[in-house]
Amino acid sequence: MSSARSPDVSSRDPYELDRLAEELATRESRTPSGSHRPNGSFEDEEELSAAARDLPIYAPLSHDDPHLSAETFDVEQFLLSRAYTSLPDLRTELRDYLAALKEELVKLINDDYEAFISLSTDLRGEGTRLEALKQPLADLRARILESRKTLQEIQDETKEKLDRRAAIREEKAFLHSLLKISESITRLESLLLISSPEDEDKEPTAVAGLPLASRTDTDADDRGRGSRAKHIARVAAEYTQLLYHVSRARIEPCAFIDESQWRVDRIKSTLSSDLDHLFASTLSALVGGKEHNGRPSKVSEIEKSKLYADVTECLRTYDVLGLWRDAEDVIRREVVRDFVKKTIYPGALTAPRSPIVPHTPLPVTGRTSSPAPPQTASLPPRTPYTPFTAFASKQNPFEFALRADTSASSSSLASAAILDETDDPLAALYNTILRFVDRDVRRIMEIAEAVCVKSGSRTRAGAQNRDQEEEPGFEIMANVVWAEIGRALMDELGSVIFAAGKPDEFRKHHETTQAFVRALEFLAPSVASVEAVRRHIVFAAFERRWQLPVYFQLRWKEIVARLEEALAMTRLERTPTKALAPFVTPQAAAVFDAVRACWSAEVFIPDLGARFWRFTLQILSRYKTWLDKSLPPLEPPPKVAAAVAAERVGATAGTAATARASTPVPTEAASAESIAADEALLQQFATAITDIKAMEAQVMKLWREELSAVLPDGTSNEAEQGVPPEDALKHALSKLTALVPTLVNQIVLILSRRGCDALLSMRSIPSQFRAMSASKRMPTEPSYFVSLIFKHTKAFFAIQAVDGPGAALKAELLRPIAEDVFELVTQRYIFFLAAMKKTEESLRKLKKGKRTAYSLFGAAAGAREDDGRGDEEKIRTQMILDVDAFGREAESLGVAVNENAAYRSLVEMARSGLTDDS
């Protein structure tokens, strides 16, 4: 681009329009990035818009100019906007615009001049008219203010009268309420036979004894128990209304209410006393079967239904009055406490049982019999533990119709779940308690539950008393039945039931007690009652009495003692007995027995699931430590890996010989001592692998069948860290199974070494055929050593034998081990064959060098040369037979020989002959 030049006036293009056009074209086609201008400056980063590149348009001054219509006139901006105009031209333009403005102003004045002049003429005389209009407005305003004042006085007077009338109405309503309270108190005192203050003043001695005699002498009362229950219900309803009116009257201080409060309290105590007496007598007649005169008699079904109707009426009254705890106290005192004292005492478990029904050796009907599993190890037949399902429930105990009417019969209710009390005095005691609760208390609990559900007292009182500790409604199961029974069991029999010194008895007592608690909960009238039992303070104290950590320590010592006794011998020895199957060593069987013992029905307790789970993982870790100590010394892993890698190199004869150059080649057969040592190592390695595989299978089977159902989620520390229990178990087992590849490599190394020892005999094949050169018969059978190559492998897997160390591993490890052994032996075979070929080639060259150029006996020399070639053909044929037989032996073990590159190289080498023809 040419440099900038000043305009040349004398030239044909004084303004250099061509150059400007070229620069404009260049600017339009340039990239966004900055480029160098001819004058040495840098262009902007953004392209100019099309409007900016256009030539300026001349716009004359007008009212629409933004600079002239702005609030503040900016001279600089205005001059910049007219930069293309010279100052004289701009002055001329401004003078022209000023003349135009003056002309427009004059025209505007001339258009509106007539209206402007007539404005003052039109308003002449309007002041007088405005004054005339102003005079009546003041008078009107004064009248309005006077009327407003009068209306305000009337309104205030009316409001005052209405307020006095409202106050009088409230006082009248309050007086009516006080009259109702007085009448209600008087009526309640008359219904309850309580002497009023006026009667006490008139006849203090005669009336004083009348209410007590009337309330206590039931024979003189001509009303029956049912009418008395209805009478008490009527009194309770009246008392409830009284409490309502008293609460309304206490909004303001009232002396009458304060003076009458002692009468209200006396009515409450009298009503509560009469209700307790009636409820207690009804329960006594219902449970004890006694008449009012104390003579025992059997209660008929009709009488029992009437008694239950009275119980229902009494419970309704208690619920209306909110005296739920008083009703529970009556039930505790009249029904439960006497039974608990007679049944639960220190010698209850040793007392002789009543021989009313002799015991027969019949199976328990409540349990389903199943075929006994076979005996394993030292443990009895196992039953998978399922928490709290010791009873066969025919129906859901909480799905029943809450019946409070008198027509419902007790025979329609389901009976209690009974424990198996064979040779178990504690279960017999629990059955006695369950029968009592089912017979005497269950119907009362169901009636109380029905009353609470129907009245909605729990919901209503719960919303009012959220801050109070006492829960509304009847909780007979929690506050009466369980509180008395649980406290008596802890106080009287706690030293026997909760004693952890004898683990077997402790676990039996724990299982029996938990089953009893669940059976007792089955008798509860609702799920809410069960939850109330579990929240009760006695239930929490009862659960804390179980010394579960002590029991676990005792079981831990038992299991660990047996396990350590078995693991004391750190040597892998196969035990020839089928009692340990699928294990082959007593140590592995002892480890699995220890794991299984932790979860057996005779040891496991659900509350100790986390501890037994950690103990299981510790046992598996202990077995891994024992294996590390018991296994014989292994060859260093780098040496084993290098040997296996070198043996598996698939290459031709030359490369194979080079690869095996660094590996020691056996020059003589192994001794009997080394063979015996190898057999012992194979025995130990196979034993370890068999036990590890069996341990993994048996532990995972135990997990699937029992542990996964028994062990809840989040029991172990691993679960708290985000590791599920199954993953933690697999991780523990993976530490055991990690030993298997190393042991398999050791087995492969030993078996391949024994196979290579058998190959040493092939080096004598050329000398044998040359010694029998007189024989013209070609070989037709493979050499004897071919059958010996896989002899130890077959013996290891009990092929064509009665038993072998790896018989149990045949299905899983036969093919991989055979393939590895075949690979190593094939590489060694190639090495020997290559060495033999080199030796024969050297001998041939030596013989050829000694042969003279001319011989008198040339024909004889040619004959000997032909015999040498015949021997080589026999040797080559024998090699081919041996290699084919070697492949067939490997195929019989499941090896795919045709897919093996080393074997294909071996076949080609065997068929190529010993020497190169030249």
Side-chain angles (χ1 to χ4, degrees), residues 244-263:
Y244 171 75
H245 290 300
V246 169
S247 63
R248 291 292 300 274
R250 284 190 178 278
I251 298 177
E252 298 178 0
C254 180
F256 177 78
I257 298 297
D258 296 337
E259 291 294 332
S260 303
Q261 184 61 41
W262 69 274
R263 300 175 65 184

Side-chain angles (χ1 to χ4, degrees), residues 23 33 300 363 415 579 611 636 683 721 741 755 783:
E23 289 180 359
S33 60
S300 62
S415 59
R611 294 174 181 260
Q683 185 82 15
Q721 298 174 0
S783 301

Side-chain angles (χ1 to χ4, degrees), residues 100 166 250 257 305 312 391 394 397 436 552 560 566 598 721 735 801 858:
R250 284 190 178 278
I257 298 297
S305 62
T312 304
F391 312 105
K394 297 181 180 180
F436 161 75
F552 175 77
V560 169
C598 294
Q721 298 174 0
K735 296 181 180 180

Side-chain angles (χ1 to χ4, degrees), residues 5 26 35 37 48 50 161 178 184 188 261 314 450 491 562 610 753 894:
R5 295 175 297 178
T26 303
S35 61
R37 290 186 176 181
L48 295 175
K161 292 181 179 180
L178 294 181
S184 181
L188 285 173
Q261 184 61 41
C314 292
D491 296 342
R562 292 195 300 265
R753 186 163 57 241

